[in-house]
Amino acid sequence: MKRMNTYLSMLLLAAISVLSLTSCDDDSEIAYDLNGTWVGTIQGNRYDSRHNSWLTEITFEQHSDFSRGGTGYEYDLNQSTGTSYQSYFDWSVRDRNIYIHYHSDNYNVVIRDWSIDWFQGIQIFSGTFVNTDTGETIASFSLSKQTSYRAKETSMGFRLPDNATPADKE
């Protein structure tokens, strides 16, 4: 009986050790994977002036390695009209959904039906933007990861001002 108690104690100790050494959950892992700059296309009609296909660059800056969100910015360019749109946002991951709050127009979306896959050595992030108030699908997107770090200058030419203040990001 003493031998059985020893084995059970060792098994319990091993189980507790494994569970306590797990340092991040699924949502923080998703946030970690999003961190960086993504470039590609968005198809949708959120605004009348933003229709058809847009070249898009979106940067997710995670607060810290194990956080579930952060800040970011989006730059969209319609090549056929030359119209562009840029906005700063806050983002978070909750229950495997990616929530974005855009500062410039106080707009909230959730990214659903998303995936991050590898294709020929490149990470591809695709999914749909959904209006959090109405549940309406706004746009679909397919983006490839360009950087995993916080770059000042982006590949589409959008440059964060060196002297940007919190008010500039609203």
Side-chain angles (χ1 to χ4, degrees), residues 73-141:
Y73 62 89
E74 180 177 338
Y75 177 78
D76 302 320
L77 174 66
N78 184 315
Q79 285 187 302
S80 62
T81 65
T83 305
S84 65
Y85 170 84
Q86 104 185 16
S87 182
Y88 290 91
F89 60 84
D90 296 314
W91 63 278
S92 64
V93 180
R94 294 188 312 271
D95 300 322
R96 298 190 50 81
N97 290 311
I98 304 161
Y99 294 88
I100 297 177
H101 171 76
Y102 290 97
H103 296 205
S104 61
D105 53 5
N106 201 30
Y107 198 72
N108 296 302
V109 299
V110 60
I111 298 176
R112 294 213 174 115
D113 303 323
W114 63 269
S115 66
I116 297 177
D117 298 306
W118 287 90
F119 179 74
Q120 297 181 349
I122 299 171
Q123 275 186 294
I124 305 295
F125 176 37
S126 59
T128 56
F129 287 104
V130 176
N131 181 314
T132 56
D133 296 326
T134 66
E136 172 191 10
T137 298
I138 301 165
S140 61
F141 64 91

Coordinates of all heavy atoms in Angstrom, one line a residue, residues 73-141:
Y73 N -2.0 49.6 -36.6 CA -2.5 50.5 -37.6 C -2.7 49.8 -38.9 O -2.2 48.7 -39.2 CB -1.5 51.7 -37.9 CG -0.1 51.3 -38.4 CD1 0.1 51.2 -39.8 CD2 0.9 51.0 -37.5 CE1 1.3 50.8 -40.2 CE2 2.1 50.6 -38.0 CZ 2.4 50.5 -39.3 OH 3.6 50.1 -39.8
E74 N -3.6 50.3 -39.7 CA -4.0 49.8 -41.0 C -3.9 50.8 -42.1 O -4.3 52.0 -41.9 CB -5.4 49.3 -41.0 CG -5.9 48.6 -42.3 CD -7.3 48.1 -42.1 OE1 -7.8 47.8 -41.0 OE2 -8.0 47.9 -43.2
Y75 N -3.3 50.5 -43.2 CA -3.2 51.4 -44.4 C -3.8 50.6 -45.6 O -3.4 49.5 -45.9 CB -1.7 51.7 -44.6 CG -1.5 52.6 -45.8 CD1 -1.8 54.0 -45.8 CD2 -1.1 52.1 -47.0 CE1 -1.6 54.8 -46.9 CE2 -0.9 52.9 -48.1 CZ -1.2 54.2 -48.1 OH -1.0 55.0 -49.2
D76 N -4.8 51.2 -46.2 CA -5.5 50.6 -47.4 C -5.3 51.6 -48.5 O -5.4 52.8 -48.4 CB -7.0 50.5 -47.1 CG -7.3 49.6 -45.9 OD1 -6.6 48.6 -45.7 OD2 -8.2 49.9 -45.1
L77 N -5.1 51.0 -49.7 CA -4.9 51.8 -50.9 C -5.7 51.1 -52.1 O -5.5 49.9 -52.4 CB -3.4 51.8 -51.3 CG -3.1 52.5 -52.7 CD1 -3.4 54.0 -52.6 CD2 -1.6 52.3 -53.0
N78 N -6.6 51.9 -52.7 CA -7.3 51.4 -53.9 C -6.4 51.9 -55.1 O -6.4 53.1 -55.4 CB -8.7 52.0 -53.9 CG -9.5 51.5 -55.1 OD1 -9.0 51.4 -56.2 ND2 -10.7 51.2 -54.8
Q79 N -5.8 50.9 -55.7 CA -4.9 51.3 -56.8 C -5.6 51.9 -58.0 O -5.1 52.7 -58.7 CB -4.1 50.0 -57.3 CG -3.0 49.7 -56.4 CD -2.2 48.6 -56.9 OE1 -2.7 47.5 -57.3 NE2 -0.9 48.8 -57.1
S80 N -6.9 51.5 -58.2 CA -7.6 52.0 -59.4 C -8.0 53.5 -59.2 O -8.1 54.3 -60.2 CB -8.8 51.2 -59.7 OG -9.7 51.2 -58.7
T81 N -8.3 53.9 -57.9 CA -8.7 55.3 -57.7 C -7.7 56.1 -57.0 O -7.8 57.4 -57.0 CB -10.0 55.3 -56.9 OG1 -9.7 54.8 -55.6 CG2 -11.1 54.5 -57.5
G82 N -6.7 55.5 -56.4 CA -5.7 56.2 -55.7 C -6.2 56.6 -54.3 O -5.4 57.3 -53.5
T83 N -7.4 56.3 -53.9 CA -7.9 56.6 -52.6 C -7.2 55.7 -51.5 O -6.9 54.6 -51.7 CB -9.4 56.3 -52.6 OG1 -10.1 56.9 -53.6 CG2 -10.0 56.7 -51.2
S84 N -6.9 56.4 -50.4 CA -6.2 55.6 -49.3 C -6.9 55.9 -48.0 O -7.7 56.9 -47.9 CB -4.8 56.0 -49.2 OG -4.6 57.4 -48.9
Y85 N -6.7 55.0 -47.1 CA -7.3 55.1 -45.8 C -6.3 54.6 -44.8 O -5.6 53.6 -45.0 CB -8.6 54.2 -45.8 CG -9.2 54.0 -44.4 CD1 -10.1 54.9 -43.9 CD2 -8.9 52.9 -43.7 CE1 -10.7 54.7 -42.6 CE2 -9.5 52.7 -42.4 CZ -10.4 53.6 -41.9 OH -10.9 53.4 -40.7
Q86 N -6.2 55.3 -43.7 CA -5.3 54.8 -42.6 C -5.9 55.0 -41.3 O -6.6 56.0 -41.1 CB -3.9 55.4 -42.8 CG -3.5 56.5 -41.8 CD -2.2 57.1 -42.2 OE1 -1.6 56.9 -43.2 NE2 -1.6 57.8 -41.2
S87 N -5.7 54.1 -40.4 CA -6.3 54.2 -39.0 C -5.5 53.4 -38.0 O -5.0 52.4 -38.3 CB -7.7 53.7 -39.1 OG -8.3 53.8 -37.8
Y88 N -5.4 54.0 -36.8 CA -4.8 53.3 -35.7 C -5.9 52.5 -35.0 O -7.1 52.9 -35.1 CB -4.2 54.3 -34.7 CG -3.0 54.9 -35.3 CD1 -3.1 56.1 -36.0 CD2 -1.7 54.4 -35.1 CE1 -1.9 56.7 -36.5 CE2 -0.6 55.0 -35.6 CZ -0.7 56.2 -36.3 OH 0.4 56.7 -36.8
F89 N -5.6 51.4 -34.3 CA -6.6 50.6 -33.7 C -6.0 49.9 -32.4 O -4.8 49.8 -32.3 CB -7.2 49.6 -34.6 CG -6.2 48.6 -35.2 CD1 -5.8 47.5 -34.5 CD2 -5.6 48.9 -36.5 CE1 -4.9 46.6 -35.1 CE2 -4.7 48.0 -37.0 CZ -4.3 46.8 -36.3
D90 N -6.9 49.5 -31.6 CA -6.5 48.6 -30.5 C -7.1 47.2 -30.8 O -8.1 47.1 -31.5 CB -7.2 49.0 -29.2 CG -6.6 50.4 -28.7 OD1 -5.4 50.6 -28.7 OD2 -7.5 51.2 -28.3
W91 N -6.4 46.1 -30.4 CA -6.9 44.8 -30.7 C -6.7 43.9 -29.6 O -5.9 44.1 -28.7 CB -6.2 44.3 -32.0 CG -4.7 44.1 -31.8 CD1 -3.7 45.1 -32.0 CD2 -4.0 42.9 -31.5 NE1 -2.5 44.6 -31.8 CE2 -2.6 43.2 -31.5 CE3 -4.4 41.6 -31.3 CZ2 -1.6 42.3 -31.2 CZ3 -3.4 40.7 -31.0 CH2 -2.1 41.0 -31.0
S92 N -7.5 42.8 -29.5 CA -7.4 41.8 -28.5 C -7.9 40.5 -29.0 O -8.7 40.5 -30.0 CB -8.2 42.2 -27.2 OG -9.5 42.3 -27.5
V93 N -7.5 39.4 -28.4 CA -7.9 38.1 -28.8 C -8.7 37.5 -27.6 O -8.2 37.5 -26.5 CB -6.7 37.1 -29.2 CG1 -7.3 35.7 -29.5 CG2 -5.9 37.7 -30.3
R94 N -9.9 37.1 -27.8 CA -10.8 36.5 -26.8 C -11.5 35.4 -27.4 O -12.2 35.5 -28.4 CB -11.8 37.6 -26.2 CG -11.1 38.7 -25.5 CD -12.1 39.6 -24.8 NE -13.2 40.0 -25.5 CZ -13.3 41.1 -26.3 NH1 -12.2 41.9 -26.4 NH2 -14.4 41.5 -26.9
D95 N -11.4 34.2 -26.8 CA -12.1 33.0 -27.2 C -11.8 32.7 -28.7 O -12.7 32.4 -29.5 CB -13.6 33.1 -27.0 CG -13.9 33.3 -25.5 OD1 -13.2 32.6 -24.7 OD2 -14.8 34.0 -25.2
R96 N -10.5 32.9 -29.1 CA -10.1 32.6 -30.5 C -10.6 33.6 -31.5 O -10.5 33.4 -32.7 CB -10.3 31.2 -30.9 CG -9.6 30.2 -30.0 CD -9.6 28.8 -30.6 NE -9.3 28.7 -32.0 CZ -8.0 28.6 -32.4 NH1 -7.0 28.7 -31.6 NH2 -7.8 28.5 -33.7
N97 N -11.4 34.7 -31.1 CA -11.8 35.7 -32.0 C -10.9 36.9 -31.8 O -10.4 37.2 -30.7 CB -13.3 36.1 -31.7 CG -14.2 35.0 -32.0 OD1 -14.2 34.5 -33.1 ND2 -15.1 34.7 -31.1
I98 N -10.6 37.6 -32.9 CA -9.8 38.8 -32.9 C -10.6 40.0 -33.0 O -11.3 40.3 -34.0 CB -8.8 38.7 -34.1 CG1 -8.0 37.4 -34.0 CG2 -7.8 39.9 -34.1 CD1 -7.3 37.0 -35.3
Y99 N -10.6 40.9 -31.9 CA -11.4 42.1 -31.9 C -10.6 43.3 -32.2 O -9.5 43.4 -31.6 CB -12.1 42.2 -30.5 CG -13.1 41.1 -30.2 CD1 -12.7 39.9 -29.6 CD2 -14.4 41.3 -30.5 CE1 -13.6 38.9 -29.4 CE2 -15.3 40.3 -30.3 CZ -14.9 39.1 -29.7 OH -15.8 38.1 -29.5
I100 N -11.1 44.2 -33.0 CA -10.4 45.4 -33.4 C -11.3 46.6 -33.2 O -12.5 46.6 -33.6 CB -9.9 45.4 -34.9 CG1 -8.9 44.2 -35.1 CG2 -9.3 46.7 -35.3 CD1 -8.5 44.1 -36.5
H101 N -10.8 47.6 -32.5 CA -11.5 48.9 -32.3 C -10.7 50.0 -33.0 O -9.5 50.3 -32.6 CB -11.6 49.3 -30.8 CG -12.1 50.6 -30.6 ND1 -13.5 51.0 -30.8 CD2 -11.5 51.8 -30.3 CE1 -13.6 52.3 -30.6 NE2 -12.4 52.8 -30.3
Y102 N -11.2 50.5 -34.1 CA -10.6 51.6 -34.9 C -10.8 52.9 -34.2 O -11.9 53.3 -34.0 CB -11.1 51.6 -36.3 CG -10.7 50.4 -37.2 CD1 -11.5 49.3 -37.3 CD2 -9.4 50.4 -37.8 CE1 -11.1 48.2 -38.0 CE2 -9.0 49.3 -38.5 CZ -9.9 48.2 -38.6 OH -9.5 47.1 -39.4
H103 N -9.7 53.7 -34.0 CA -9.8 55.0 -33.3 C -10.5 56.0 -34.2 O -11.2 56.8 -33.7 CB -8.4 55.5 -33.0 CG -7.7 54.6 -32.0 ND1 -6.7 55.1 -31.2 CD2 -7.8 53.3 -31.7 CE1 -6.3 54.1 -30.4 NE2 -6.9 53.0 -30.7
S104 N -10.1 56.1 -35.5 CA -10.5 57.2 -36.3 C -12.0 57.4 -36.5 O -12.5 58.5 -36.6 CB -9.9 57.1 -37.7 OG -10.3 56.0 -38.4
D105 N -12.7 56.2 -36.5 CA -14.2 56.3 -36.7 C -14.9 55.6 -35.6 O -16.1 55.3 -35.8 CB -14.6 55.9 -38.1 CG -14.0 54.5 -38.5 OD1 -13.4 53.8 -37.6 OD2 -14.2 54.1 -39.6
N106 N -14.3 55.2 -34.5 CA -14.9 54.5 -33.4 C -15.7 53.3 -33.9 O -16.8 53.0 -33.5 CB -15.8 55.5 -32.7 CG -16.1 55.0 -31.3 OD1 -15.2 54.4 -30.6 ND2 -17.2 55.4 -30.7
Y107 N -15.1 52.5 -34.7 CA -15.7 51.3 -35.4 C -15.1 50.1 -34.8 O -13.9 50.0 -34.5 CB -15.4 51.4 -36.9 CG -16.4 50.6 -37.7 CD1 -17.7 50.9 -37.9 CD2 -15.9 49.4 -38.3 CE1 -18.5 50.1 -38.7 CE2 -16.7 48.6 -39.1 CZ -18.1 49.0 -39.3 OH -18.9 48.2 -40.0
N108 N -16.0 49.1 -34.5 CA -15.6 47.8 -33.9 C -15.9 46.6 -34.9 O -17.0 46.5 -35.4 CB -16.3 47.6 -32.6 CG -16.0 48.6 -31.6 OD1 -14.8 48.8 -31.3 ND2 -17.0 49.3 -31.1
V109 N -14.8 45.8 -35.1 CA -15.0 44.6 -35.9 C -14.4 43.4 -35.1 O -13.6 43.6 -34.2 CB -14.3 44.7 -37.3 CG1 -14.9 45.8 -38.1 CG2 -12.8 44.8 -37.1
V110 N -14.9 42.2 -35.5 CA -14.3 41.0 -35.1 C -13.8 40.2 -36.3 O -14.5 40.2 -37.3 CB -15.3 40.2 -34.2 CG1 -16.5 39.8 -34.9 CG2 -14.6 39.0 -33.6
I111 N -12.7 39.6 -36.2 CA -12.2 38.8 -37.3 C -12.6 37.3 -37.0 O -12.2 36.8 -35.9 CB -10.7 38.9 -37.5 CG1 -10.3 40.3 -37.8 CG2 -10.2 37.9 -38.6 CD1 -8.8 40.5 -37.9
R112 N -13.4 36.8 -37.9 CA -13.9 35.4 -37.7 C -13.5 34.5 -38.9 O -13.0 35.0 -39.9 CB -15.4 35.4 -37.6 CG -15.9 36.1 -36.4 CD -17.2 35.5 -35.8 NE -17.5 36.1 -34.6 CZ -18.6 36.8 -34.4 NH1 -19.5 37.0 -35.3 NH2 -18.9 37.3 -33.2
D113 N -13.7 33.3 -38.7 CA -13.3 32.3 -39.8 C -11.9 32.5 -40.3 O -11.7 32.5 -41.5 CB -14.4 32.4 -40.9 CG -15.8 32.1 -40.4 OD1 -16.0 31.3 -39.5 OD2 -16.7 32.8 -40.9
W114 N -11.0 32.8 -39.4 CA -9.6 33.2 -39.8 C -8.7 31.9 -39.7 O -9.0 31.0 -39.0 CB -9.1 34.3 -39.0 CG -9.0 33.9 -37.5 CD1 -10.0 34.1 -36.6 CD2 -7.9 33.3 -36.9 NE1 -9.5 33.6 -35.4 CE2 -8.3 33.1 -35.5 CE3 -6.7 32.8 -37.3 CZ2 -7.4 32.5 -34.6 CZ3 -5.8 32.2 -36.4 CH2 -6.2 32.1 -35.0
S115 N -7.6 32.0 -40.4 CA -6.6 31.0 -40.3 C -5.2 31.7 -40.6 O -5.2 32.7 -41.3 CB -6.8 29.9 -41.3 OG -6.7 30.3 -42.6
I116 N -4.2 31.1 -40.0 CA -2.8 31.5 -40.3 C -2.2 30.2 -40.8 O -2.0 29.2 -40.0 CB -2.1 32.1 -39.1 CG1 -2.8 33.4 -38.7 CG2 -0.6 32.3 -39.5 CD1 -2.1 34.0 -37.4
D117 N -1.8 30.1 -42.1 CA -1.2 28.9 -42.7 C 0.1 29.3 -43.3 O 0.4 30.4 -43.5 CB -2.2 28.4 -43.8 CG -3.5 28.0 -43.2 OD1 -3.5 27.2 -42.2 OD2 -4.6 28.5 -43.7
W118 N 0.8 28.3 -43.6 CA 2.1 28.4 -44.3 C 1.9 28.0 -45.8 O 1.3 26.9 -46.0 CB 3.2 27.6 -43.7 CG 3.7 28.1 -42.4 CD1 3.2 27.8 -41.1 CD2 4.7 29.1 -42.2 NE1 3.8 28.5 -40.2 CE2 4.8 29.3 -40.8 CE3 5.6 29.7 -43.0 CZ2 5.7 30.2 -40.2 CZ3 6.5 30.6 -42.5 CH2 6.6 30.8 -41.1
F119 N 2.4 28.8 -46.7 CA 2.4 28.5 -48.1 C 3.8 28.8 -48.7 O 4.2 30.0 -48.7 CB 1.3 29.2 -48.8 CG 1.2 29.0 -50.3 CD1 0.8 27.8 -50.8 CD2 1.7 29.9 -51.2 CE1 0.7 27.5 -52.1 CE2 1.7 29.7 -52.6 CZ 1.2 28.4 -53.0
Q120 N 4.5 27.9 -49.1 CA 5.8 28.0 -49.7 C 6.7 28.9 -48.8 O 7.4 29.9 -49.3 CB 5.7 28.6 -51.1 CG 5.0 27.7 -52.1 CD 4.9 28.2 -53.5 OE1 5.2 29.4 -53.8 NE2 4.5 27.4 -54.4
G121 N 6.7 28.6 -47.5 CA 7.6 29.3 -46.6 C 7.1 30.7 -46.1 O 7.8 31.4 -45.5
I122 N 5.9 31.1 -46.5 CA 5.3 32.4 -46.1 C 4.1 32.1 -45.3 O 3.2 31.3 -45.7 CB 5.0 33.2 -47.4 CG1 6.2 33.4 -48.2 CG2 4.3 34.5 -47.0 CD1 6.0 34.1 -49.6
Q123 N 3.9 32.9 -44.2 CA 2.7 32.8 -43.4 C 1.6 33.6 -44.1 O 1.8 34.8 -44.5 CB 2.9 33.4 -42.0 CG 3.5 32.4 -41.0 CD 3.6 33.0 -39.7 OE1 4.3 33.9 -39.4 NE2 2.8 32.4 -38.7
I124 N 0.4 33.0 -44.2 CA -0.7 33.6 -44.8 C -1.8 33.7 -43.8 O -2.2 32.7 -43.2 CB -1.3 32.8 -46.0 CG1 -0.1 32.6 -47.1 CG2 -2.5 33.5 -46.7 CD1 0.4 33.9 -47.7
F125 N -2.3 34.9 -43.6 CA -3.4 35.2 -42.6 C -4.7 35.6 -43.4 O -4.6 36.5 -44.2 CB -3.0 36.4 -41.7 CG -4.0 36.8 -40.7 CD1 -4.9 36.0 -40.1 CD2 -4.1 38.2 -40.4 CE1 -5.8 36.5 -39.2 CE2 -5.0 38.7 -39.5 CZ -5.8 37.8 -38.8
S126 N -5.7 34.8 -43.3 CA -6.9 35.1 -44.1 C -8.2 34.9 -43.2 O -8.1 34.3 -42.1 CB -7.1 34.1 -45.3 OG -7.1 32.8 -44.8
G127 N -9.2 35.6 -43.5 CA -10.5 35.5 -42.8 C -11.5 36.6 -43.2 O -11.4 37.1 -44.3
T128 N -12.4 36.9 -42.3 CA -13.4 37.8 -42.6 C -13.6 38.8 -41.5 O -13.4 38.5 -40.3 CB -14.8 37.2 -42.8 OG1 -15.2 36.4 -41.7 CG2 -14.8 36.3 -44.1
F129 N -13.8 40.1 -41.8 CA -14.1 41.2 -40.9 C -15.7 41.2 -40.7 O -16.4 41.2 -41.7 CB -13.7 42.5 -41.4 CG -12.2 42.8 -41.4 CD1 -11.5 42.7 -42.5 CD2 -11.5 43.0 -40.2 CE1 -10.1 42.9 -42.5 CE2 -10.2 43.2 -40.1 CZ -9.5 43.2 -41.3
V130 N -16.1 41.2 -39.5 CA -17.6 41.2 -39.2 C -17.8 42.4 -38.2 O -17.1 42.6 -37.3 CB -18.0 39.9 -38.5 CG1 -19.4 39.9 -38.1 CG2 -17.7 38.7 -39.4
N131 N -18.9 43.1 -38.6 CA -19.3 44.2 -37.7 C -19.8 43.6 -36.4 O -20.7 42.8 -36.4 CB -20.5 45.0 -38.4 CG -21.0 46.2 -37.6 OD1 -21.2 46.1 -36.4 ND2 -21.2 47.3 -38.3
T132 N -19.2 44.1 -35.3 CA -19.6 43.5 -34.0 C -21.0 43.9 -33.5 O -21.6 43.2 -32.7 CB -18.6 43.9 -32.9 OG1 -18.5 45.3 -32.8 CG2 -17.2 43.3 -33.1
D133 N -21.6 45.0 -34.0 CA -22.9 45.4 -33.6 C -24.0 44.7 -34.4 O -25.0 44.3 -33.9 CB -23.1 46.9 -33.8 CG -22.1 47.7 -32.9 OD1 -21.9 47.3 -31.8 OD2 -21.7 48.8 -33.3
T134 N -23.8 44.5 -35.7 CA -24.8 44.0 -36.6 C -24.6 42.5 -37.0 O -25.5 41.9 -37.4 CB -25.0 44.8 -37.9 OG1 -23.8 44.6 -38.6 CG2 -25.2 46.3 -37.6
G135 N -23.4 42.0 -36.9 CA -23.1 40.7 -37.3 C -22.9 40.6 -38.8 O -22.6 39.5 -39.3
E136 N -22.9 41.7 -39.5 CA -22.8 41.8 -41.0 C -21.3 41.5 -41.4 O -20.4 42.1 -40.8 CB -23.2 43.1 -41.5 CG -22.9 43.4 -42.9 CD -23.2 44.8 -43.3 OE1 -23.3 45.7 -42.4 OE2 -23.1 45.1 -44.5
T137 N -21.1 40.7 -42.4 CA -19.8 40.5 -42.9 C -19.4 41.7 -43.7 O -20.1 42.1 -44.6 CB -19.7 39.2 -43.8 OG1 -20.0 38.1 -42.9 CG2 -18.3 39.1 -44.4
I138 N -18.2 42.3 -43.4 CA -17.8 43.6 -44.0 C -16.9 43.3 -45.2 O -17.0 43.9 -46.2 CB -17.1 44.5 -43.0 CG1 -18.1 44.8 -41.8 CG2 -16.6 45.7 -43.6 CD1 -17.4 45.4 -40.6
A139 N -15.9 42.4 -44.9 CA -14.9 42.2 -46.0 C -14.2 40.8 -45.7 O -14.3 40.3 -44.6 CB -13.9 43.3 -45.9
S140 N -13.6 40.3 -46.7 CA -12.7 39.2 -46.6 C -11.3 39.6 -46.9 O -11.1 40.6 -47.6 CB -13.1 38.0 -47.5 OG -13.1 38.4 -48.8
F141 N -10.3 38.9 -46.4 CA -8.9 39.3 -46.6 C -8.0 38.1 -46.8 O -8.3 37.0 -46.3 CB -8.4 40.2 -45.5 CG -8.4 39.6 -44.2 CD1 -7.2 39.0 -43.7 CD2 -9.5 39.6 -43.3 CE1 -7.2 38.3 -42.5 CE2 -9.4 39.0 -42.1 CZ -8.3 38.3 -41.7

